[in-house]
């Protein structure tokens, strides 16, 4: 008997094709979508990326952070600071946003990893508050009341003229198109990067830590090293997305950039409702969130009450979320990471 | 002179933070649960008292007597029917549920009570002060501090001197073995959360009389409470008082230097203590 390890499932092959078609359709969105739709898609894509990084932390690393707004806000502020003070182009400055978030993540991890479980959660929140209060005192970027991106920086976006000529649109619309494409690139890179990572040995180790930390340690997984790696990756990604979101906004203030509702609560609802600890979950979650938001956003805060109750209900009665329900019924796995040993007879052809 | 005054004000402010934290500390000590909605429950209690004060026209202190049993019942129900279901080895579900609850409470209050700042009316008491040695001490801050000490003594007494306290300690040490001895851990947990909600109501009384409140201030109260619990050491109720005082003193000294630094200096002292003494100053629980 010979065996080989297989991760692909019957559903995953046609799904790859479908996924490729969806990504191509999304890449061509500026041709078929209105400006409003494009902005909605930007929201969906950026929230999906934030959710995937939080999912990586909470769902795989067991690190429930309520302080991700620290990285969103610092990434965004670093981008604004680089544009306003150093005159760097906004798109190049997005990368600096990620680097700034990474730089913050190192001391944060050193501090917060001393705390376990719930205490880690509130500890990260304290760090986010400290960063918010410090940034509020940074007068060069507007202090507590915030600032706008300089006009010439917004108009000097790379490729703006070409897009304006290509689609024959005005500057504001061309800017939306460029930022939308950036968001699409970041999201595709996030989802595929995460999937590729989970299929490596490190990813297997991470999944083992998620399922049972004691058992994972007993077979030689260095759980502490995994936690560091996951925390730093998530911080870098979150910083990039924060910079991108506020480049699209064009305006920043400490309250908006470090909002726990916008950057942690929504992300948390996406992951919980969709299904924590899977790649498919946040994708479903963000679509559900967007549908609910379109339908109920006019009810203001009641909408958030409903989301909160939904998240509590899902945690109590369907802890694996909507995707968990679907995959339990159908056995579907669109981003398969589970390694299955297929035993085959030596007389048969090798795969 | 200014130094002593700032110190005294800081210690008294610490009393308020200790009141915020005492309920959190009790619940953590007994069932290792951190309720992320704790701050929002304080704000909810403050609105409940405001409702009673407005409708019945009584003083906030009378409203406390009416609201405390209601909050006890709320805590009992919350623990019995929601939080008990998520207690366990995995820390994720209780965090998710209480974070969801925090969002629910905050936004329900926002819709029903609006975002306006409110205050519990307490007449002249708010501005009254007593000359105490070299410094003038506000009556309300002093009452807050003494209440905090009284609450902590009462909790300590319940915990170590009563049959209920023995059950608390038993389920805290080992819920399974306590269950074998005829205790139902889940009922005990519900009682503990109920008691914590009474403390929350007392905290809300002083919060509401001393300063304005609105639906959004809960999370910041949770953070102060949490910092006090951690600085004091997990599971130590007197440590929680010490933790509250440290945060209070740090904040008043920060504010004395520059008003913008008030909150920040509290957070920084917390981080500093945690770096030097990761288990807090007076740790009791080992887990």
């Amino acid at each position: 008997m010979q065996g080989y390890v297989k991760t692909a499932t019957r559903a995953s092959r046609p799904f790859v094709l479908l996924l490729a078609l969806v990504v191509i359709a999304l890449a061509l969105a500026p041709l078929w979508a209105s400006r409003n739709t494009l902005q909605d898609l930007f929201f969906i894509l950026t929230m999906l990326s934030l959710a995937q990084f939080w999912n990586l932390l909470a769902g795989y690393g067991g690190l429930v952070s309520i302080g991700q707004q620290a990285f969103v806000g610092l990434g965004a502020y670093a981008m604004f600071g680089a544009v306003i003070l150093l005159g760097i182009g906004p798109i190049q400055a997005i990368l600096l946003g990620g680097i700034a978030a990474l730089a913050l993540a190192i001391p944060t991890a050193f501090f917060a990893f001393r705390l376990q479980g719930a205490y880690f959660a509130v500890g990260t929140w304290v760090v986010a508050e400290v960063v918010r209060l410090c940034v509020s005192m940074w007068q060069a970027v507007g202090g507590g009341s915030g600032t706008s991106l300089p006009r010439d920086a917004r108009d000097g976006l790379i490729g703006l003229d070409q897009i304006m000529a290509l689609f024959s649109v005005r500057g504001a619309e061309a800017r939306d198109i460029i930022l939308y494409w950036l968001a699409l690139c970041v999201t595709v890179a996030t989802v595929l990067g995460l999937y590729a990572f989970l299929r490596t040995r490190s990813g297997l180790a991470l999944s083992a830590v998620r399922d049972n930390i004691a058992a994972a340690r007993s077979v030689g997984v260095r759980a502490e090293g995994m936690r560091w790696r996951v925390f730093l990756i998530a911080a870098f990604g979150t910083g990039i997305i924060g910079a991108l979101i506020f480049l699209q906004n064009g305006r920043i203030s400490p309250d908006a950039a470090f909002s726990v509702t916008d950057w942690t609560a929504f992300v948390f609802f996406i992951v919980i409702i969709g299904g924590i600890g899977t790649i498919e979950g946040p994708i479903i979650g963000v679509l559900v969130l967007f549908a609910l938001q379109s339908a109920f956003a006019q009810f203001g805060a009641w909408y958030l009450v409903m989301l909160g109750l939904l998240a509590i209900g899902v945690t109590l009665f369907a802890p694996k979320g909507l995707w968990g329900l679907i995959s339990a019924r159908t056995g579907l796995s669109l981003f398969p990471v589970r390694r299955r040993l297929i035993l085959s007879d030596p007389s048969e052809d090798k795969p | 002179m200014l130094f002593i005054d700032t110190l005294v004000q800081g210690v008294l402010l610490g009393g308020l933070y200790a009141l915020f934290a005492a309920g959190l500390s009790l619940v953590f000590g007994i069932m290792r649960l951190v309720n992320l909605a704790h701050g929002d429950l304080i704000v909810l209690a403050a609105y409940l008292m405001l409702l009673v004060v407005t409708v019945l026209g009584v003083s906030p202190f009378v409203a406390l007597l009416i609201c405390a049993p209601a909050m006890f019942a709320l805590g009992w129900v919350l623990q019995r029917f929601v939080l008990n279901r998520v207690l366990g080895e995995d820390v994720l579900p209780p965090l998710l549920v209480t974070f969801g609850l925090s969002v629910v409470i905050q936004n329900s209050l926002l819709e029903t009570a609006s975002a306006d700042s409110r205050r519990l009316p307490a007449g002249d008491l708010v501005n009254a002060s007593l000359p105490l040695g070299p410094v003038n001490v506000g009556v309300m801050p002093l009452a807050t501090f003494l209440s905090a000490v009284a609450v902590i003594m009462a909790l300590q007494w319940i915990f170590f001197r009563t049959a209920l306290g023995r059950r608390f300690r038993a389920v805290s040490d080992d819920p399974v073995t306590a269950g074998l001895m005829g205790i139902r851990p889940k009922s005990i947990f519900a009682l503990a959360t109920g008691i914590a909600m009474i403390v929350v109501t007392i905290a809300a009384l002083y919060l509401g009389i001393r300063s304005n409140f609105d639906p959004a201030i809960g999370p910041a109260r949770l953070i102060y409470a949490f910092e006090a619990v951690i600085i004091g050491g997990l599971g130590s109720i007197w440590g929680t008082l010490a933790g509250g005082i440290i945060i209070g003193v740090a904040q008043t000294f920060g504010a004395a230097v520059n008003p913008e630094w008030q909150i920040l200096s509290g957070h920084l002292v917390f981080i500093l203590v945690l770096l030097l003494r990761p288990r807090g100053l007076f740790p009791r629980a080992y887990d």
Side-chain angles (χ1 to χ4, degrees):
Chain A
M1 289 275 268
Q2 274 188 326
Y4 62 98
V5 173
K6 188 177 171 184
T7 51
T9 61
R10 265 173 65 187
S12 69
R13 298 238 165 98
F15 178 69
V16 170
L17 198 66
L18 180 69
L19 189 70
L21 288 176
V22 168
V23 170
I24 291 169
L26 285 174
L28 298 177
L31 293 175
W32 52 263
S34 71
R35 197 177 165 201
N36 272 340
T37 312
L38 220 50
Q39 286 176 351
D40 286 344
L41 287 172
F42 180 87
F43 170 81
I44 292 176
L45 290 171
T46 48
M47 289 312 277
L48 174 60
S49 308
L50 285 179
Q52 289 291 8
F53 283 116
W54 192 79
N55 184 30
L56 176 67
L57 276 181
Y60 288 94
L63 298 165
V64 184
S65 163
I66 315 181
Q68 290 311 97
Q69 67 275 20
F71 304 117
V72 172
L74 191 73
Y77 263 101
M79 185 271 291
F80 267 67
V83 169
I84 292 172
L85 302 175
L86 307 176
I88 295 175
I91 291 180
Q92 299 88 312
I94 290 176
L95 196 61
L96 282 178
I99 291 168
L102 187 63
L104 172 67
I106 293 167
T108 304
F110 182 71
F111 158 75
F113 284 176
R114 292 169 166 244
L115 300 164
Q116 298 297 320
Y119 288 84
F120 173 85
V122 191
T124 53
W125 198 351
V126 170
V127 171
E129 281 299 290
V130 168
V131 179
R132 179 178 69 84
L133 290 164
C134 291
V135 166
S136 304
M137 292 191 275
W138 188 10
Q139 293 306 331
V141 288
S145 52
T147 188
S148 294
L149 208 60
R151 202 182 171 78
D152 52 338
R154 299 177 65 179
D155 293 342
L157 224 52
I158 300 174
L160 196 68
D161 296 332
Q162 290 87 322
I163 300 292
M164 281 165 73
L166 189 64
F167 291 96
S168 56
V169 288
R170 287 181 302 119
E173 286 168 66
R175 201 159 48 232
D176 278 353
I177 292 173
I178 293 176
L179 295 179
Y180 165 76
W181 274 339
L182 277 177
L184 183 63
C185 291
V186 169
T187 309
V188 170
T190 303
V191 173
L192 294 185
L194 196 59
Y195 180 53
F197 174 67
L198 288 173
R199 290 184 55 143
T200 63
R201 281 173 62 88
S202 295
L204 184 62
L206 186 62
S207 303
V209 170
R210 170 196 62 181
D211 293 339
N212 188 331
I213 190 165
R217 281 211 175 100
S218 74
V219 294
V221 174
R222 281 198 296 265
E224 190 63 17
M226 290 311 309
R227 296 208 300 171
W228 268 93
R229 203 179 300 180
V230 162
F231 193 76
L232 296 186
I233 293 173
F236 180 74
T238 305
I240 296 252
I241 300 157
L244 188 57
I245 290 173
F246 280 89
L247 180 54
Q248 155 83 6
N249 273 10
R251 195 180 151 70
I252 198 168
S253 70
D255 287 346
F258 294 94
S259 161
V260 67
T261 306
D262 289 349
W263 313 127
T264 298
F266 277 126
V267 161
F268 156 96
F269 292 139
I270 290 171
V271 176
I272 301 309
I273 293 170
I276 192 164
T278 63
I279 295 180
E280 296 91 342
I283 298 177
I284 294 191
V286 78
L287 295 176
V288 170
L289 181 92
F290 182 72
L292 292 174
Q293 182 155 318
S294 311
F296 300 108
Q298 75 263 33
F299 296 105
W302 286 126
Y303 160 66
L304 279 165
V305 173
M306 186 189 73
L307 277 182
L309 289 174
L310 191 61
I312 294 173
V314 167
T315 311
L316 288 178
F317 302 109
K320 291 187 188 308
L322 289 179
W323 178 252
L325 293 179
I326 296 171
S327 73
R329 293 268 159 80
T330 61
L332 268 182
S333 180
L334 302 180
F335 289 96
V337 290
R338 185 177 298 157
R339 291 160 168 76
R340 291 169 301 139
L341 182 65
I342 311 289
L343 293 173
S344 62
D345 209 277
S347 58
E348 283 177 25
D349 286 337
K350 282 195 181 162
Chain B
M1 190 55 234
L2 183 69
F3 176 81
I4 294 174
D5 187 56
T6 312
L7 185 67
V8 170
Q9 305 306 337
V11 170
L12 295 182
L13 181 62
L16 183 64
Y17 294 161
L19 273 180
F20 292 161
L24 203 65
S25 184
L26 178 75
V27 168
F28 179 81
I30 294 173
M31 59 195 109
R32 308 292 180 272
L33 172 80
V34 173
N35 185 351
L36 295 179
H38 188 77
D40 302 292
L41 286 163
I42 296 175
V43 178
L44 176 68
Y47 273 103
L48 196 61
M49 276 190 278
L50 183 68
L51 183 71
V52 170
V53 167
T54 317
V55 172
L56 301 182
V58 293
S59 105
F61 295 91
V62 178
L64 172 69
L65 298 178
I66 299 170
C67 294
M71 288 299 291
F72 176 90
L74 176 70
W76 194 90
V77 168
L78 184 65
Q79 185 67 43
R80 193 78 185 77
F81 296 106
V82 181
L83 299 180
N84 271 343
R85 306 177 73 121
V86 290
L87 287 178
E89 284 299 301
D90 192 357
V91 296
L92 197 62
L95 282 179
L96 302 181
V97 166
T98 55
F99 190 63
L101 189 65
S102 156
V103 173
V104 169
I105 295 176
Q106 251 180 69
N107 289 287
S108 306
L109 285 174
L110 191 63
E111 282 290 337
T112 51
S114 88
D116 297 344
S117 287
R118 300 298 175 86
R119 199 161 185 159
L120 290 175
D124 300 334
L125 220 51
V126 181
N127 299 320
S129 67
L130 293 171
L132 203 78
V135 289
N136 264 327
V137 174
V139 168
M140 279 320 295
L142 190 64
T144 313
F145 185 81
L146 294 178
S147 300
V149 174
V151 162
I152 284 166
M153 284 172 76
L155 289 178
Q156 198 77 359
W157 178 77
I158 292 176
F159 216 68
F160 289 106
R161 294 275 180 274
T162 65
L164 178 63
R166 199 159 53 238
R167 290 184 192 139
F168 280 163
R169 281 177 285 141
V171 292
S172 166
D173 289 345
D174 187 342
V176 176
T177 312
L180 293 176
M181 303 297 128
I183 295 171
R184 286 196 196 134
K186 297 204 159 171
S187 316
I188 298 295
F189 290 158
L191 278 177
T193 305
I195 292 173
M197 285 306 113
I198 292 179
V199 179
V200 155
T201 320
I202 298 171
L205 172 75
Y206 290 108
L207 170 77
I209 290 178
R210 291 179 53 173
S211 62
N212 291 332
F213 56 91
D214 64 68
I217 67 163
R221 308 311 111 172
L222 166 74
I223 290 179
Y224 301 153
F226 164 82
E227 289 175 340
V229 173
I230 294 267
I231 290 180
L234 304 182
S236 158
I237 294 189
W238 282 110
T240 300
L241 179 65
I245 290 173
I246 289 172
I247 297 289
V249 169
Q251 287 195 359
T252 45
F253 274 99
V257 178
N258 180 340
E260 279 189 328
W261 294 356
Q262 179 181 350
I263 311 296
L264 188 58
S265 45
H267 293 330
L268 292 177
V269 165
F270 163 70
I271 290 176
L272 196 68
V273 169
L274 214 56
L275 289 176
L276 299 176
R277 297 284 300 265
R279 305 190 44 77
L281 299 178
F282 312 102
R284 187 190 71 92
Y286 283 89
D287 47 13

